[in-house]
């Protein structure tokens, strides 16, 4: 009989307590897996959308802590930017979170400059692109179309404006598939922000070196007060929603770690308290104190690893379930990586050792003669 | 019954029969800054292969003395020697205990969820050595104690006598030099008690083991080579006066 068999047998002796402890750890780990994968997925989805559009640099106001960059008048900054070396195109973009009707959850609405390169990466599944800048039509992402039950030719209400669905499109990025797309002029009209955009997308001529791009960024910062030129990655990582979701995931990891360690700690402390006499017998039989420590830490580690493995499966299941909820569909796309799941298992291992260490030390320090008299 | 046992190499080698295996000099165990004297100035010598019974009324310090001998407790005064080696020089009490002592308790102290065979193997967990050899040795011990058909049974499914026989097998698994038994028949009826004593005595004689047994039963102490009487933590040199 090996020590691990003995540890497993001890855990099996108290099935209800073992199951409750594993369940508590599993819930904590599931929350970590779900929130972290969603936070990463959210960031990855925005990154994918920005990359797919083919934008080299984005000019925006970065003072705002809003979920989306604050809107600004595009005309003057756009003209200025076009005068800078290597700037090939400057395209305005307006984003908002709007509700289509009282029943539907808010969704992203993008206004893109008509006939700009931003449209190039989209695939039209049905219908047609807007015929002009001012045509009162909307294009619906494939996920949004399913969520809203809209097809080409239907109408929908946005901020009191009735728009006809011109078509349904598909993008490489989930955030765009779950969105509504208008021409910039239409978006400015329905949001009552004429001439305004959230960001200006810059496409360079392809001849700019890294140092010239850096020079361009510096020039924007110095000659256009209040504006910054950043990469799409920088825009995504500075996005308030991304930052909040990452902060929530970090907080969940911290809370789940504390709760998990405390649960393991409490379980093992109760367990060794109940088994004081048995530990005394083991010591009397010649078990070394380090073997007692290995036993207790082994039991706590088995509990935590079992909780961790179940928690990972539960977390993946929860995330997949959330992705299919109407409220969340088209907004979240979880990202699971092997490294992340291994890190979660590592966290479980840490919880097991951390939670079991003090009870193990306490058990190993028992005086055999006193432990044998314990009632 | 001393089969090969590669897991344990004795740190103190054996001596000849009749030599002192244990020598206790002025052993004391005091509590509460000396106000409570569980053991007070005991001088005893135990020889190799001897069966010594420690007898005396409840609370006289028999079990405390046994615990001190077995390194389960530390004396607050005096010196003990094992084959001439002072206990004070023992660096690893657990290892020393495992190598030289086998314990038998009144209430068996078997682990309820383990089978009889597993209970016998428990003291070897964490030892080097072949698992197969240890299992075979445990099976051999249980068979020798008449439990060949009860090896897979958990303690709850065994009679009191059978449980104590499992405990005896467990005490022998590490090939000890001394068996320390604390009221081993205290929880048994007279028939089972006699059986257990017969077995223990047979094993002792066959293997040249030394037995130090705490008891207050006259029929048990009558089987011992020598009876050491205790009273109020001291040796009782005139036990007849107190009977």
């Amino acid at each position: 009989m090996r020590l691990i068999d003995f540890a497993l047998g001890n855990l099996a002796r108290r099935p209800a307590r073992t199951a409750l402890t594993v369940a508590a750890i599993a819930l904590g780990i599931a929350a970590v897996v779900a929130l972290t994968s969603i936070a990463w997925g959210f960031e990855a989805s925005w990154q994918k959308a920005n990359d797919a559009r083919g934008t080299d640099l984005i000019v925006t106001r970065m003072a705002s802590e809003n979920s989306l960059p604050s809107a600004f008048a595009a005309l003057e900054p756009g003209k200025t930017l076009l005068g800078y070396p290597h700037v090939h195109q400057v395209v305005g973009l307006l984003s908002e979170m709007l509700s289509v009707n009282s029943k539907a959850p808010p969704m992203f609405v993008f206004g893109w400059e008509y006939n700009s390169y931003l449209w190039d990466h989209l695939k039209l599944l049905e219908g047609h692109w807007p015929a002009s800048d001012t045509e009162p039509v909307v294009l619906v992402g494939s996920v949004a179309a399913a969520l809203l039950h809209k097809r080409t030719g239907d109408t929908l209400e946005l901020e009191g404006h009735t728009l006809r669905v011109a078509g349904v499109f598909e993008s490489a990025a989930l955030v765009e598939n779950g969105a509504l797309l208008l021409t910039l002029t239409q978006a400015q009209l329905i949001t009552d922000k004429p001439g305004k955009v959230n960001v200006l997308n810059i496409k360079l001529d392809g001849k700019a070196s890294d140092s010239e791009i850096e020079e361009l960024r510096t020039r924007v910062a110095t000659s256009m007060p209040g504006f910054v030129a950043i990469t799409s990655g920088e825009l995504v990582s500075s996005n308030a929603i991304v930052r909040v979701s990452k902060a929530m995931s970090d907080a969940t990891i911290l809370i789940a770690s504390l709760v998990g360690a405390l649960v393991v700690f409490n379980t093992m402390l109760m367990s060794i308290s109940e088994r004081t006499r048995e530990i005394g017998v083991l010591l009397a039989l010649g078990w070394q104190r380090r073997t007692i420590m290995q036993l207790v830490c082994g039991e706590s580690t088995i509990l935590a690893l079992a909780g961790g493995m179940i928690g990972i499966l539960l977390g993946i299941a929860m995330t997949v379930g959330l992705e299919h909820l109407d409220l969340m569909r088209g907004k979240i796309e979880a990202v699971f990586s092997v490294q992340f799941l291994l890190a979660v298992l590592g966290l479980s291992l840490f919880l097991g050792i951390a939670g079991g260490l003090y009870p193990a030390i306490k058990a190993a320090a028992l005086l055999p003669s006193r432990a044998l008299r314990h009632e | 019954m001393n089969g090969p046992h590669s897991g344990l190499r004795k740190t103190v080698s054996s001596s000849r029969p009749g030599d002192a295996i244990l020598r206790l000099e002025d052993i004391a165990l005091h509590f509460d800054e000396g106000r409570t004297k569980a053991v007070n100035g005991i001088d005893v010598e135990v020889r190799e292969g001897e069966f010594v019974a420690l007898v005396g009324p409840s609370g006289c310090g028999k079990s405390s003395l046994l615990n001190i001998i077995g390194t389960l407790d530390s004396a607050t005064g005096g010196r003990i020697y094992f084959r001439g080696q002072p206990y004070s020089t023992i660096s690893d009490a657990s290892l020393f205990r495992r190598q030289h002592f086998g314990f038998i308790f009144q209430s068996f102290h078997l682990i309820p969820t383990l089978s009889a065979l597993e209970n016998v193997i428990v003291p070897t967990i964490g030892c080097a050595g072949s698992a197969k050899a240890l299992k075979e040795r445990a099976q051999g011990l249980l068979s020798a104690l008449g439990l060949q058909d009860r090896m897979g049974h958990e303690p709850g499914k065994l009679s009191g006598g059978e449980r104590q026989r499992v405990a005896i097998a467990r005490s022998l698994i590490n090939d000890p030099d001394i068996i320390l038994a604390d009221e081993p028949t205290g929880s048994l009826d007279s028939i089972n008690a006699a059986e257990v004593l017969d077995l223990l005595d047979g094993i002792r004689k066959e293997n040249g083991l030394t037995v130090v047994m705490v008891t207050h039963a006259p029929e048990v102490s009558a089987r011992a080579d020598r009876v050491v009487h205790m009273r109020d933590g001291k040796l009782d040199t005139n036990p007849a006066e107190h009977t």
Side-chain angles (χ1 to χ4, degrees), chain B residues 123-195:
Chain B
T124 67
I125 291 176
C127 280
S130 149
K132 186 168 173 264
L134 288 169
K135 189 177 176 185
E136 283 172 359
R137 176 169 168 77
Q139 286 168 332
L141 287 166
L142 286 169
S143 297
L145 291 163
L147 294 171
Q148 60 275 13
D149 300 325
R150 314 290 279 167
M151 290 186 196
H153 289 64
E154 290 171 358
K157 292 171 186 162
L158 301 174
S159 69
E162 287 173 328
R163 285 185 219 176
Q164 197 57 298
R165 279 188 272 163
V166 174
I168 292 171
R170 182 180 65 183
S171 75
L172 296 168
I173 188 74
N174 281 335
D175 194 13
D177 298 302
I178 304 180
I179 297 290
L180 300 174
D182 193 352
E183 303 268 13
T185 58
S187 298
L188 304 177
D189 58 45
S190 58
I191 297 168
N192 272 311
E195 269 184 27

Side-chain angles (χ1 to χ4, degrees), chain A residues 10-29:
Chain A
N10 284 336
L11 294 173
R13 278 156 78 174
R14 293 162 184 85
R17 186 194 297 162
T18 299
L20 282 173
T21 307
V22 169
I25 298 166
L27 281 176
I29 293 292

Side-chain angles (χ1 to χ4, degrees), chain A residues 97-101 103-108 147 178 327 329 331:
Chain A
M97 282 284 276
L98 299 174
S99 287
V100 173
N101 56 50
K103 288 179 189 167
M107 51 179 50
F108 284 109
L147 190 63
L327 186 67
R329 209 182 319 163
K331 295 191 186 68

Side-chain angles (χ1 to χ4, degrees), chain A residues 113-133:
Chain A
E113 219 166 279
Y114 179 69
N115 243 357
S116 70
Y117 72 88
L118 293 179
W119 302 78
D120 295 350
H121 70 285
L122 299 181
K123 181 183 170 191
L124 196 63
L125 297 178
E126 61 177 49
H128 61 85
W129 299 117
S132 73
D133 199 13

